[in-house]
Amino acid sequence: MPGTKVCILGSGNWGSSIAKIVGVNVRSSNRFDPVVNMWVYEEVIDGKKLTEIINTEHENVKYLPGHKLPKNVVAIPDVAEAVKRAKLLIFVTPHQFIRSLCDKIKSHVEDGAIGISLIKGIDEGPGGLQLISDIIRKELEIEVSVLMGANIAREVAEEKFCETTIGSTNEANGLLFKELLQTPNFRITVVQESDTVELCGALKNIVAVGAGFCDGLGFGDNTKAAVIRLGLMEMVAFAKLFCRGQVSSDTFLESCGVADLITTCYGGRNRKVAEAFVKTSKSIAELEAEMLNGQKLQGPQTSAEIYKILQKKDMVNKFPLFTSIYEICFEGKDVKKFIACLQSHPEHM
């Protein structure tokens, strides 16, 4: 019996880091096809196509320079071609592109395929909050798990030890993806609260923007600790309002919760760009273009989506940290007034 075919949809720094892991793991198991397809959005780098560079030099020179990809990871520019025969789909693109991606592959996905989303973001649907995994489920009619954790892409690529969390309501699917993705230095826990795991991955990016504001304003580690704690309170409160099924405190103690929150508030692009926003007075869009080498920033966009949802529910005042970050990013509120949302934050939510 041939092994199960894997396709990675996305090839930024996170997608390429995951490709390093998957490429090695499929070769050491007879359960998986030894050739991994990776859909790459085609770009021209110094006169050469990025897919050609990856397939000849086995390196994503734009998004993950200095790290060799396994030779069995094949870059494919046509997304419909990339998903052919694949039964395991790994989604790792910026969240704002997921609908158009699903449209392109809808008629090409194999019967019986399952997916896992590594995308940290949410969308505003007609009924309010819409998780990225829900969009994939609806558009492609497949079961979807999620993977979220304290996983800065370059550190994963450098094989530094970290933990991560798979959320899967189907335990067998969660365990299959664990087998595909786990390494001695990339340790995975599988939990069933998939919605909570995914929401953690989106909301922590908003809090990281607040941490970046603290750094830019010179507030120090005590203030940043308050941002992290109050941000976690708002994450838990939001999850309890909007998640289907149970929301347990234990899930927030997994890597997808408090660990990812801390990591993102001290490293990562959202903190970095938010600090520059304070120091340069440039817009978020300008800084994204200047600082991120084509990558997309998730925190401000997620704050805008959350704000719209809270407005519809008449609950803006119950989430002062999320609201203040949105107003500073998009409505011209003075960033120096950020401290006010901490000083007036309710003790209990």
Side-chain angles (χ1 to χ4, degrees), residues 273-295:
V273 172
E275 180 182 16
F277 175 81
V278 177
K279 291 182 172 178
T280 65
S281 299
K282 293 180 180 178
S283 71
I284 292 287
E286 285 176 296
L287 292 166
E288 182 181 66
E290 284 178 20
M291 298 174 68
L292 298 185
N293 192 30
Q295 300 274 52

Side-chain angles (χ1 to χ4, degrees), residues 8 10-28 34 36-38 54 58-60 63-74 90 92 118 153-160 180-183 186:
I8 301 169
S11 58
N13 61 351
W14 188 211
S16 298
S17 299
I18 287 297
K20 275 192 73 177
I21 290 173
V22 173
V24 171
N25 282 358
V26 297
R27 288 191 309 215
S28 59
V36 176
N37 290 357
M38 179 170 72
I54 292 171
H58 306 291
E59 182 180 345
N60 189 333
Y63 295 114
L64 197 67
H67 290 276
K68 290 296 180 184
L69 299 177
K71 292 181 180 177
N72 58 321
V73 174
V74 178
I90 301 173
V92 57
L118 280 60
R154 187 159 291 279
E155 292 185 14
V156 174
E158 290 166 356
E159 299 179 29
K160 293 177 177 175
L180 177 65
L181 293 163
Q182 182 165 262
T183 75
F186 191 64

Side-chain angles (χ1 to χ4, degrees), residues 211-261:
F213 291 162
C214 283
D215 291 339
L217 293 163
F219 284 161
D221 285 338
N222 292 341
T223 310
K224 192 191 280 193
V227 168
I228 292 170
R229 187 185 77 82
L230 297 170
L232 182 61
M233 282 175 60
E234 292 196 11
M235 287 170 61
V236 173
F238 191 90
K240 286 180 175 175
L241 279 172
F242 291 94
C243 280
R244 297 160 296 201
Q246 183 185 4
V247 175
S248 67
S249 301
D250 289 351
T251 303
F252 289 91
L253 298 177
E254 297 290 349
S255 181
C256 62
V258 67
D260 195 11
L261 179 60

Side-chain angles (χ1 to χ4, degrees), residues 195-217:
D195 288 359
T196 306
V197 171
E198 185 170 4
L199 205 50
C200 282
L203 298 179
K204 57 93 187 181
N205 284 327
I206 305 177
V207 186
V209 173
F213 291 162
C214 283
D215 291 339
L217 293 163

